PDB file of all heavy atoms in Angstrom:
ATOM      1  N   ARG A   1       0.011 -10.817  10.615  1.00  0.00           N
ATOM      2  CA  ARG A   1      -0.699  -9.554  10.476  1.00  0.00           C
ATOM      3  C   ARG A   1       0.304  -8.474  10.111  1.00  0.00           C
ATOM      4  O   ARG A   1       1.198  -8.155  10.892  1.00  0.00           O
ATOM      5  CB  ARG A   1      -1.422  -9.158  11.763  1.00  0.00           C
ATOM      6  CG  ARG A   1      -2.376  -7.980  11.573  1.00  0.00           C
ATOM      7  CD  ARG A   1      -2.920  -7.472  12.888  1.00  0.00           C
ATOM      8  NE  ARG A   1      -4.031  -6.551  12.688  1.00  0.00           N
ATOM      9  CZ  ARG A   1      -4.448  -5.672  13.594  1.00  0.00           C
ATOM     10  NH1 ARG A   1      -3.855  -5.608  14.773  1.00  0.00           N
ATOM     11  NH2 ARG A   1      -5.473  -4.874  13.323  1.00  0.00           N
ATOM     12  N   LEU A   2       0.160  -7.916   8.922  1.00  0.00           N
ATOM     13  CA  LEU A   2       1.032  -6.858   8.450  1.00  0.00           C
ATOM     14  C   LEU A   2       0.446  -5.493   8.795  1.00  0.00           C
ATOM     15  O   LEU A   2      -0.764  -5.311   8.786  1.00  0.00           O
ATOM     16  CB  LEU A   2       1.227  -6.952   6.939  1.00  0.00           C
ATOM     17  CG  LEU A   2       1.686  -8.295   6.377  1.00  0.00           C
ATOM     18  CD1 LEU A   2       1.907  -8.183   4.878  1.00  0.00           C
ATOM     19  CD2 LEU A   2       2.939  -8.783   7.081  1.00  0.00           C
ATOM     20  N   SER A   3       1.330  -4.542   9.088  1.00  0.00           N
ATOM     21  CA  SER A   3       0.920  -3.178   9.382  1.00  0.00           C
ATOM     22  C   SER A   3       1.559  -2.224   8.394  1.00  0.00           C
ATOM     23  O   SER A   3       2.663  -2.465   7.901  1.00  0.00           O
ATOM     24  CB  SER A   3       1.318  -2.783  10.804  1.00  0.00           C
ATOM     25  OG  SER A   3       0.656  -3.578  11.762  1.00  0.00           O
ATOM     26  N   CYS A   4       0.869  -1.127   8.114  1.00  0.00           N
ATOM     27  CA  CYS A   4       1.345  -0.108   7.189  1.00  0.00           C
ATOM     28  C   CYS A   4       1.091   1.254   7.800  1.00  0.00           C
ATOM     29  O   CYS A   4      -0.061   1.663   7.954  1.00  0.00           O
ATOM     30  CB  CYS A   4       0.623  -0.241   5.847  1.00  0.00           C
ATOM     31  SG  CYS A   4       0.917   1.118   4.699  1.00  0.00           S
ATOM     32  N   ALA A   5       2.163   1.951   8.152  1.00  0.00           N
ATOM     33  CA  ALA A   5       2.057   3.288   8.725  1.00  0.00           C
ATOM     34  C   ALA A   5       2.254   4.325   7.631  1.00  0.00           C
ATOM     35  O   ALA A   5       3.271   4.317   6.937  1.00  0.00           O
ATOM     36  CB  ALA A   5       3.091   3.476   9.830  1.00  0.00           C
ATOM     37  N   ALA A   6       1.284   5.209   7.470  1.00  0.00           N
ATOM     38  CA  ALA A   6       1.348   6.245   6.450  1.00  0.00           C
ATOM     39  C   ALA A   6       1.763   7.575   7.067  1.00  0.00           C
ATOM     40  O   ALA A   6       1.407   7.886   8.204  1.00  0.00           O
ATOM     41  CB  ALA A   6      -0.001   6.397   5.754  1.00  0.00           C
ATOM     42  N   SER A   7       2.519   8.361   6.311  1.00  0.00           N
ATOM     43  CA  SER A   7       2.905   9.692   6.742  1.00  0.00           C
ATOM     44  C   SER A   7       2.693  10.661   5.590  1.00  0.00           C
ATOM     45  O   SER A   7       2.662  10.269   4.422  1.00  0.00           O
ATOM     46  CB  SER A   7       4.362   9.723   7.212  1.00  0.00           C
ATOM     47  OG  SER A   7       5.243   9.373   6.159  1.00  0.00           O
ATOM     48  N   GLY A   8       2.564  11.930   5.914  1.00  0.00           N
ATOM     49  CA  GLY A   8       2.275  12.929   4.913  1.00  0.00           C
ATOM     50  C   GLY A   8       0.776  13.120   4.752  1.00  0.00           C
ATOM     51  O   GLY A   8      -0.027  12.533   5.479  1.00  0.00           O
ATOM     52  N   ASP A   9       0.402  13.911   3.783  1.00  0.00           N
ATOM     53  CA  ASP A   9      -1.002  14.241   3.552  1.00  0.00           C
ATOM     54  C   ASP A   9      -1.645  13.180   2.663  1.00  0.00           C
ATOM     55  O   ASP A   9      -1.427  13.147   1.451  1.00  0.00           O
ATOM     56  CB  ASP A   9      -1.120  15.621   2.911  1.00  0.00           C
ATOM     57  CG  ASP A   9      -2.549  16.121   2.842  1.00  0.00           C
ATOM     58  OD1 ASP A   9      -3.464  15.389   3.250  1.00  0.00           O
ATOM     59  OD2 ASP A   9      -2.749  17.252   2.374  1.00  0.00           O
ATOM     60  N   THR A  10      -2.461  12.326   3.256  1.00  0.00           N
ATOM     61  CA  THR A  10      -3.123  11.255   2.520  1.00  0.00           C
ATOM     62  C   THR A  10      -4.579  11.572   2.188  1.00  0.00           C
ATOM     63  O   THR A  10      -5.300  10.713   1.680  1.00  0.00           O
ATOM     64  CB  THR A  10      -3.075   9.940   3.314  1.00  0.00           C
ATOM     65  OG1 THR A  10      -3.821  10.093   4.530  1.00  0.00           O
ATOM     66  CG2 THR A  10      -1.646   9.549   3.643  1.00  0.00           C
ATOM     67  N   ARG A  11      -5.007  12.781   2.461  1.00  0.00           N
ATOM     68  CA  ARG A  11      -6.422  13.132   2.312  1.00  0.00           C
ATOM     69  C   ARG A  11      -6.933  13.030   0.887  1.00  0.00           C
ATOM     70  O   ARG A  11      -8.136  12.833   0.685  1.00  0.00           O
ATOM     71  CB  ARG A  11      -6.668  14.542   2.843  1.00  0.00           C
ATOM     72  CG  ARG A  11      -6.517  14.673   4.356  1.00  0.00           C
ATOM     73  CD  ARG A  11      -6.694  16.095   4.818  1.00  0.00           C
ATOM     74  NE  ARG A  11      -5.651  16.964   4.293  1.00  0.00           N
ATOM     75  CZ  ARG A  11      -5.576  18.279   4.502  1.00  0.00           C
ATOM     76  NH1 ARG A  11      -6.528  18.877   5.218  1.00  0.00           N
ATOM     77  NH2 ARG A  11      -4.586  18.987   3.991  1.00  0.00           N
ATOM     78  N   ARG A  12      -6.062  13.152  -0.093  1.00  0.00           N
ATOM     79  CA  ARG A  12      -6.486  13.074  -1.487  1.00  0.00           C
ATOM     80  C   ARG A  12      -6.409  11.663  -2.065  1.00  0.00           C
ATOM     81  O   ARG A  12      -6.738  11.463  -3.237  1.00  0.00           O
ATOM     82  CB  ARG A  12      -5.660  14.032  -2.347  1.00  0.00           C
ATOM     83  CG  ARG A  12      -5.922  15.496  -2.021  1.00  0.00           C
ATOM     84  CD  ARG A  12      -5.296  16.409  -3.047  1.00  0.00           C
ATOM     85  NE  ARG A  12      -5.617  17.810  -2.788  1.00  0.00           N
ATOM     86  CZ  ARG A  12      -5.327  18.822  -3.592  1.00  0.00           C
ATOM     87  NH1 ARG A  12      -4.695  18.579  -4.740  1.00  0.00           N
ATOM     88  NH2 ARG A  12      -5.660  20.052  -3.269  1.00  0.00           N
ATOM     89  N   ILE A  13      -6.000  10.699  -1.264  1.00  0.00           N
ATOM     90  CA  ILE A  13      -5.949   9.314  -1.714  1.00  0.00           C
ATOM     91  C   ILE A  13      -7.288   8.660  -1.410  1.00  0.00           C
ATOM     92  O   ILE A  13      -7.697   8.574  -0.253  1.00  0.00           O
ATOM     93  CB  ILE A  13      -4.804   8.549  -1.036  1.00  0.00           C
ATOM     94  CG1 ILE A  13      -3.463   9.198  -1.377  1.00  0.00           C
ATOM     95  CG2 ILE A  13      -4.817   7.087  -1.457  1.00  0.00           C
ATOM     96  CD1 ILE A  13      -2.278   8.564  -0.687  1.00  0.00           C
ATOM     97  N   ASN A  14      -7.957   8.178  -2.443  1.00  0.00           N
ATOM     98  CA  ASN A  14      -9.293   7.637  -2.286  1.00  0.00           C
ATOM     99  C   ASN A  14      -9.304   6.176  -1.849  1.00  0.00           C
ATOM    100  O   ASN A  14     -10.251   5.730  -1.208  1.00  0.00           O
ATOM    101  CB  ASN A  14     -10.089   7.779  -3.580  1.00  0.00           C
ATOM    102  CG  ASN A  14     -11.565   7.497  -3.387  1.00  0.00           C
ATOM    103  OD1 ASN A  14     -12.213   8.077  -2.525  1.00  0.00           O
ATOM    104  ND2 ASN A  14     -12.102   6.596  -4.202  1.00  0.00           N
ATOM    105  N   ALA A  15      -8.263   5.431  -2.208  1.00  0.00           N
ATOM    106  CA  ALA A  15      -8.210   4.017  -1.860  1.00  0.00           C
ATOM    107  C   ALA A  15      -6.768   3.600  -1.618  1.00  0.00           C
ATOM    108  O   ALA A  15      -5.847   4.122  -2.253  1.00  0.00           O
ATOM    109  CB  ALA A  15      -8.830   3.165  -2.967  1.00  0.00           C
ATOM    110  N   PHE A  16      -6.585   2.669  -0.716  1.00  0.00           N
ATOM    111  CA  PHE A  16      -5.273   2.159  -0.358  1.00  0.00           C
ATOM    112  C   PHE A  16      -5.213   0.664  -0.639  1.00  0.00           C
ATOM    113  O   PHE A  16      -6.244  -0.009  -0.708  1.00  0.00           O
ATOM    114  CB  PHE A  16      -4.985   2.432   1.123  1.00  0.00           C
ATOM    115  CG  PHE A  16      -5.049   3.884   1.479  1.00  0.00           C
ATOM    116  CD1 PHE A  16      -6.261   4.478   1.814  1.00  0.00           C
ATOM    117  CD2 PHE A  16      -3.909   4.665   1.477  1.00  0.00           C
ATOM    118  CE1 PHE A  16      -6.334   5.820   2.136  1.00  0.00           C
ATOM    119  CE2 PHE A  16      -3.960   6.016   1.798  1.00  0.00           C
ATOM    120  CZ  PHE A  16      -5.183   6.592   2.128  1.00  0.00           C
ATOM    121  N   ALA A  17      -3.999   0.137  -0.772  1.00  0.00           N
ATOM    122  CA  ALA A  17      -3.882  -1.255  -1.166  1.00  0.00           C
ATOM    123  C   ALA A  17      -2.600  -1.892  -0.654  1.00  0.00           C
ATOM    124  O   ALA A  17      -1.616  -1.215  -0.344  1.00  0.00           O
ATOM    125  CB  ALA A  17      -3.927  -1.383  -2.691  1.00  0.00           C
ATOM    126  N   TRP A  18      -2.639  -3.212  -0.581  1.00  0.00           N
ATOM    127  CA  TRP A  18      -1.467  -4.042  -0.356  1.00  0.00           C
ATOM    128  C   TRP A  18      -1.081  -4.693  -1.675  1.00  0.00           C
ATOM    129  O   TRP A  18      -1.935  -5.205  -2.406  1.00  0.00           O
ATOM    130  CB  TRP A  18      -1.739  -5.126   0.684  1.00  0.00           C
ATOM    131  CG  TRP A  18      -1.778  -4.619   2.093  1.00  0.00           C
ATOM    132  CD1 TRP A  18      -2.876  -4.258   2.811  1.00  0.00           C
ATOM    133  CD2 TRP A  18      -0.653  -4.433   2.957  1.00  0.00           C
ATOM    134  NE1 TRP A  18      -2.509  -3.854   4.078  1.00  0.00           N
ATOM    135  CE2 TRP A  18      -1.147  -3.951   4.189  1.00  0.00           C
ATOM    136  CE3 TRP A  18       0.725  -4.630   2.814  1.00  0.00           C
ATOM    137  CZ2 TRP A  18      -0.310  -3.655   5.270  1.00  0.00           C
ATOM    138  CZ3 TRP A  18       1.553  -4.333   3.885  1.00  0.00           C
ATOM    139  CH2 TRP A  18       1.031  -3.851   5.096  1.00  0.00           C
ATOM    140  N   PHE A  19       0.211  -4.657  -1.962  1.00  0.00           N
ATOM    141  CA  PHE A  19       0.782  -5.291  -3.140  1.00  0.00           C
ATOM    142  C   PHE A  19       1.810  -6.320  -2.687  1.00  0.00           C
ATOM    143  O   PHE A  19       2.287  -6.280  -1.555  1.00  0.00           O
ATOM    144  CB  PHE A  19       1.470  -4.265  -4.042  1.00  0.00           C
ATOM    145  CG  PHE A  19       0.580  -3.160  -4.541  1.00  0.00           C
ATOM    146  CD1 PHE A  19       0.293  -2.062  -3.747  1.00  0.00           C
ATOM    147  CD2 PHE A  19       0.042  -3.213  -5.814  1.00  0.00           C
ATOM    148  CE1 PHE A  19      -0.510  -1.033  -4.205  1.00  0.00           C
ATOM    149  CE2 PHE A  19      -0.771  -2.195  -6.287  1.00  0.00           C
ATOM    150  CZ  PHE A  19      -1.048  -1.103  -5.484  1.00  0.00           C
ATOM    151  N   ARG A  20       2.165  -7.226  -3.571  1.00  0.00           N
ATOM    152  CA  ARG A  20       3.254  -8.156  -3.272  1.00  0.00           C
ATOM    153  C   ARG A  20       4.052  -8.461  -4.530  1.00  0.00           C
ATOM    154  O   ARG A  20       3.555  -8.368  -5.646  1.00  0.00           O
ATOM    155  CB  ARG A  20       2.735  -9.458  -2.649  1.00  0.00           C
ATOM    156  CG  ARG A  20       1.894 -10.329  -3.571  1.00  0.00           C
ATOM    157  CD  ARG A  20       1.333 -11.517  -2.798  1.00  0.00           C
ATOM    158  NE  ARG A  20       0.502 -12.383  -3.630  1.00  0.00           N
ATOM    159  CZ  ARG A  20      -0.217 -13.393  -3.169  1.00  0.00           C
ATOM    160  NH1 ARG A  20      -0.215 -13.673  -1.867  1.00  0.00           N
ATOM    161  NH2 ARG A  20      -0.947 -14.131  -4.000  1.00  0.00           N
ATOM    162  N   ARG A  21       5.323  -8.792  -4.324  1.00  0.00           N
ATOM    163  CA  ARG A  21       6.206  -9.160  -5.413  1.00  0.00           C
ATOM    164  C   ARG A  21       6.960 -10.427  -5.035  1.00  0.00           C
ATOM    165  O   ARG A  21       7.745 -10.425  -4.079  1.00  0.00           O
ATOM    166  CB  ARG A  21       7.194  -8.024  -5.713  1.00  0.00           C
ATOM    167  CG  ARG A  21       8.174  -8.368  -6.835  1.00  0.00           C
ATOM    168  CD  ARG A  21       9.293  -7.339  -6.940  1.00  0.00           C
ATOM    169  NE  ARG A  21      10.034  -7.213  -5.701  1.00  0.00           N
ATOM    170  CZ  ARG A  21      10.950  -8.061  -5.271  1.00  0.00           C
ATOM    171  NH1 ARG A  21      11.234  -9.154  -5.990  1.00  0.00           N
ATOM    172  NH2 ARG A  21      11.589  -7.850  -4.130  1.00  0.00           N
ATOM    173  N   ALA A  22       6.698 -11.480  -5.764  1.00  0.00           N
ATOM    174  CA  ALA A  22       7.422 -12.725  -5.587  1.00  0.00           C
ATOM    175  C   ALA A  22       8.691 -12.669  -6.427  1.00  0.00           C
ATOM    176  O   ALA A  22       8.749 -11.951  -7.423  1.00  0.00           O
ATOM    177  CB  ALA A  22       6.554 -13.909  -5.995  1.00  0.00           C
ATOM    178  N   PRO A  23       9.727 -13.419  -6.054  1.00  0.00           N
ATOM    179  CA  PRO A  23      10.982 -13.395  -6.807  1.00  0.00           C
ATOM    180  C   PRO A  23      10.775 -13.700  -8.288  1.00  0.00           C
ATOM    181  O   PRO A  23      10.112 -14.675  -8.642  1.00  0.00           O
ATOM    182  CB  PRO A  23      11.821 -14.479  -6.135  1.00  0.00           C
ATOM    183  CG  PRO A  23      11.301 -14.521  -4.737  1.00  0.00           C
ATOM    184  CD  PRO A  23       9.825 -14.285  -4.872  1.00  0.00           C
ATOM    185  N   GLY A  24      11.321 -12.835  -9.150  1.00  0.00           N
ATOM    186  CA  GLY A  24      11.224 -13.035 -10.583  1.00  0.00           C
ATOM    187  C   GLY A  24       9.876 -12.725 -11.188  1.00  0.00           C
ATOM    188  O   GLY A  24       9.672 -12.971 -12.380  1.00  0.00           O
ATOM    189  N   LYS A  25       8.946 -12.176 -10.405  1.00  0.00           N
ATOM    190  CA  LYS A  25       7.613 -11.871 -10.901  1.00  0.00           C
ATOM    191  C   LYS A  25       7.287 -10.393 -10.721  1.00  0.00           C
ATOM    192  O   LYS A  25       7.932  -9.690  -9.950  1.00  0.00           O
ATOM    193  CB  LYS A  25       6.569 -12.733 -10.195  1.00  0.00           C
ATOM    194  CG  LYS A  25       6.726 -14.223 -10.435  1.00  0.00           C
ATOM    195  CD  LYS A  25       5.586 -15.001  -9.807  1.00  0.00           C
ATOM    196  CE  LYS A  25       5.717 -16.486 -10.101  1.00  0.00           C
ATOM    197  NZ  LYS A  25       4.604 -17.262  -9.501  1.00  0.00           N
ATOM    198  N   GLN A  26       6.273  -9.940 -11.447  1.00  0.00           N
ATOM    199  CA  GLN A  26       5.843  -8.556 -11.357  1.00  0.00           C
ATOM    200  C   GLN A  26       5.055  -8.308 -10.082  1.00  0.00           C
ATOM    201  O   GLN A  26       4.519  -9.228  -9.466  1.00  0.00           O
ATOM    202  CB  GLN A  26       4.990  -8.175 -12.565  1.00  0.00           C
ATOM    203  CG  GLN A  26       5.753  -8.100 -13.879  1.00  0.00           C
ATOM    204  CD  GLN A  26       4.901  -7.552 -14.999  1.00  0.00           C
ATOM    205  OE1 GLN A  26       3.692  -7.791 -15.051  1.00  0.00           O
ATOM    206  NE2 GLN A  26       5.517  -6.806 -15.897  1.00  0.00           N
TER     207      GLN A  26
END
C-alpha cells in the first residue's frame, strides 16, 4: 500500500494520479 502526502494549495487540481517508471522506460 503506497501513500502520497500532498502539501501546498491543491484546491485547483481536479484529478490526482499515480505514475510509475520502470528502468529504461518512459
